[in-house]
C-alpha cells in the first residue's frame, strides 16, 4: 500500500507500525511534508524530529516531485504514479538523515543549506496563502450555482442528486481549465481523458468539496490562517487521490479525502482513472 503522509502524521507511532507491518507499505512524501518543519524557528531540530520515523525505513519512502512540477504534468493514464515520483530524491532519501545529523553536529555548510530551504519553504507557504485569498472570492461564486434547496440538502447531510452531481462535474472541469490556463508550468488544458488525471483537476474537485463544506456549516468567511490550513489539507488530499490512502491525524482532511474519492468515482467515467 502506498499512502500519502500528512505532516501531522510523520511523528505518529501508527506510521512506524504501518511501515513495520510490511515492506510493501510505502510512505509517500510531498513537498509540503518538509515545509511544515522548515517553517519552524529551529528547522534542523524540527526536520530531524519530523523525519525520524521514515528515516528508519528509507527503502519504503517515495518522495514526490514538487507541487509546482506535478501541476505541469500531463494526465496520461499509463505510468501515472511513476511520473509523480522524484526518482533521484527517492533513491537518495537516506542521505537526508545523514545531512540532518551533520547539521545538528554544527556543520556550517549543511546548516546554511537547511536555512536556505527553510526560507524558501516559508516564502512558498506565504505565497500559497496569498494566492488562495485571491481565489476565494471566485471559488465562493461556485456556491451560487446551487439552489437554496440543494444547499439545505447538503446541510442536512443528504446525498447529491443527479442534477447536483452534474453541476459538481461541470464546475470542477471549469475550475480545472482556469487553473491550467493560469498555472505557469501547465501546457494548457489537456483533453478530457487526460484532464481527470492531472493534479490541477484533482485539486479543483477538492476545492469544490471544501467550499461546499464551508457552505454547509455557514463558514464561508475564512481567516488567512484558516485558509492556509485549508490549502495545506487540500494539497495533501489532492496528492492522496493518486495513491491508496491518506494517513493523517486530521479528521477533516481524512473526510475530504474520502469525499474526493467518492466524487471522482461519481463524475469520471469508468476506466479513465487507473
Amino acid at each position: 500500500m502506498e499512502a500519502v503522509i500528512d505532516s501531522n502524521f510523520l511523528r505518529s507511532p501508527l506510521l512506524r507500525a504501518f511501515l513495520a507491518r510490511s515492506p510493501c507499505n510505502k510512505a509517500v512524501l510531498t513537498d509540503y511534508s518538509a515545509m511544515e518543519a522548515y517553517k519552524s524557528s529551529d528547522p534542523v531540530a524540527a526536520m530531524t524530529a519530523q523525519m525520524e520515523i521514515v528515516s528508519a525505513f528509507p527503502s519504503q519512502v517515495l518522495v514526490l516531485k514538487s507541487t509546482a512540477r506535478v501541476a505541469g504534468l500531463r494526465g496520461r493514464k499509463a505510468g501515472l504514479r511513476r511520473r509523480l515520483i522524484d526518482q533521484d530524491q527517492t533513491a537518495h532519501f537516506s542521505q537526508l538523515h545523514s545531512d540532518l545529523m551533520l547539521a545538528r553536529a554544527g556543520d556550517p555548510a549543511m546548516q546554511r543549506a537547511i536555512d536556505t530551504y527553510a526560507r524558501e519553504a516559508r516564502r512558498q507557504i506565504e505565497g500559497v496563502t496569498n494566492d488562495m485569498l485571491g481565489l476565494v472570492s471566485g471559488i465562493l461564486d461556485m456556491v451560487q450555482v446551487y439552489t437554496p434547496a440543494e444547499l439545505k440538502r447538503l446541510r442536512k447531510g443528504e446525498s447529491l442528486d443527479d442534477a447536483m452531481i452534474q453541476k459538481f462535474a461541470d464546475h470542477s472541469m471549469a475550475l480545472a481549465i482556469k487553473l491550467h490556463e493560469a498555472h505557469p508550468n501547465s501546457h494548457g488544458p489537456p483533453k478530457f481523458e487526460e484532464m481527470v488525471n492531472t493534479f490541477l483537476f484533482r485539486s479543483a474537485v477538492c476545492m469544490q468539496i471544501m467550499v461546499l463544506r464551508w457552505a454547509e456549516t455557514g463558514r464561508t468567511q475564512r481567516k488567512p490562517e484558516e485558509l492556509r490550513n485549508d490549502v495545506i489539507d487540500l494539497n495533501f488530499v489532492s496528492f492522496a487521490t493518486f495513491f491508496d490512502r491518506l494517513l493523517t491525524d486530521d479528521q477533516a482532511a481524512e473526510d475530504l479525502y474520502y469525499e474526493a474519492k467518492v466524487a471522482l468515482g461519481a463524475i469520471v467515467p469508468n476506466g479513465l482513472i487507473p
Side-chain angles (χ1 to χ4, degrees), residues 82-153:
R82 178 182 52 77
R83 291 197 305 278
L84 301 178
I85 297 169
D86 188 312
Q87 301 296 339
D88 185 61
Q89 287 198 66
T90 296
H92 297 95
F93 178 76
S94 59
Q95 184 63 40
L96 173 63
H97 181 70
S98 300
D99 291 345
L100 288 170
M101 291 301 99
L102 284 173
R104 291 206 71 177
D107 183 279
M110 200 53 63
Q111 287 180 336
R112 285 195 299 272
I114 290 176
D115 285 341
T116 299
Y117 293 143
R119 285 194 299 272
E120 176 59 24
R122 295 187 197 107
R123 186 196 65 77
Q124 187 165 341
I125 288 175
E126 289 171 3
V128 164
T129 302
N130 292 335
D131 289 346
M132 190 64 179
L133 284 168
L135 282 171
V136 165
S137 59
I139 293 172
L140 290 177
D141 287 343
M142 287 188 257
V143 177
Q144 307 306 315
V145 306
Y146 297 95
T147 67
E150 289 171 335
L151 292 175
K152 184 177 180 180
R153 289 182 56 144

Side-chain angles (χ1 to χ4, degrees), residues 6 25 39 60 63 68 71 76 80 116 127 141 146 161 247 254:
D6 196 338
N25 287 344
K39 72 186 177 82
Q60 292 173 242
V63 181
R76 294 189 312 277
L80 181 60
T116 299
D141 287 343
Y146 297 95
D161 60 21
L247 290 179
E254 186 168 355

